[in-house]
């Protein structure tokens, strides 16, 4: 069997102000500004009770901020003032506004504190979008 070396692609990191509705595969380095638990619900999954948790976290970089929906074990990592790397994040639309989320195909990792200051006056989650389907003839 021939040994083939697969080359890993270097991740391309984007900034918050470059995010657009309906896009995915984003890699970002962000700081957590605030975190608020919005749902905590236990559901019986066999012998132990599995608890589902969802938190809304305001995250940002030097270009702006956006709401991030943290689920289950992601909630513990999203503490205020923490710097995190989001890999393969996607944009979800919720009531016409953008939310960032990382599903099972992505990763959330805590990293060393970043040196940038979060630009809190440019919240992309406050921009309301109306998605229109265009029919080409």
């Amino acid at each position: 069997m021939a040994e083939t070396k697969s080359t890993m692609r270097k991740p391309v990191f984007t900034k918050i102000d470059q995010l657009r509705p309906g896009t995915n595969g984003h890699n970002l380095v962000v700081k957590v500004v605030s975190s608020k638990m919005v749902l905590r619900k236990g559901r019986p999954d066999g012998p132990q009770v599995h608890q589902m948790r969802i938190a809304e976290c305001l995250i940002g970089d030097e270009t702006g901020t956006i709401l991030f929906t943290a689920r289950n074990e992601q909630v513990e990592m999203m503490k205020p003032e923490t710097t995190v790397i989001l890999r393969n994040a996607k944009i979800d639309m919720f009531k016409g506004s953008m939310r960032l989320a990382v599903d099972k195909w992505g990763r959330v990792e805590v990293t060393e504190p970043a040196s940038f200051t979060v630009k809190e006056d440019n919240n992309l989650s406050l921009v309301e979008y109306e998605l229109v389907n265009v029919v080409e003839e």
Side-chain angles (χ1 to χ4, degrees):
M1 187 186 250
E3 180 95 17
T4 58
K5 195 174 188 182
S6 66
T7 55
M8 293 284 284
R9 223 174 62 205
K10 285 270 187 214
V12 177
F13 287 91
T14 56
K15 297 291 180 191
I16 289 200
D17 66 347
Q18 298 170 324
L19 299 174
R20 299 290 174 255
T23 56
N24 57 21
H26 302 292
N27 297 312
L28 300 111
V29 177
V30 293
K31 275 187 189 174
V32 180
V33 178
S34 65
S35 180
K36 183 178 96 183
M37 184 75 70
V38 291
L39 177 74
R40 175 177 282 172
K41 160 164 96 171
R43 51 173 216 246
D45 264 358
Q48 77 264 23
V49 175
H50 180 74
Q51 199 168 48
M52 188 171 87
R53 297 178 317 254
I54 297 177
E56 279 185 350
C57 310
L58 186 65
I59 60 171
D61 61 16
E62 65 271 18
T63 65
T65 58
I66 192 167
L67 278 175
F68 175 79
T69 306
R71 298 178 187 278
N72 300 325
E73 65 277 348
Q74 295 172 356
V75 173
E76 282 91 42
M77 294 183 226
M78 305 302 282
K79 302 276 185 253
E81 297 301 312
T82 306
T83 302
V84 293
I85 298 174
L86 304 177
R87 296 191 186 271
N88 202 19
K90 62 181 177 137
I91 297 291
D92 287 333
M93 297 303 290
F94 178 73
K95 294 183 180 175
S97 64
M98 292 195 301
R99 304 281 173 100
L100 200 60
V102 173
D103 59 14
K104 64 180 179 179
W105 305 112
R107 248 171 95 176
V108 178
E109 10 180 289
V110 177
T111 187
E112 286 85 46
S115 58
F116 60 79
T117 305
V118 175
K119 183 178 181 184
E120 293 190 47
D121 61 351
N122 183 22
N123 188 341
L124 293 185
S125 292
L126 296 179
V127 178
E128 194 170 315
Y129 291 88
E130 184 177 345
L131 299 179
V132 180
N133 293 326
V134 178
V135 180
E136 291 187 34
E137 295 178 23

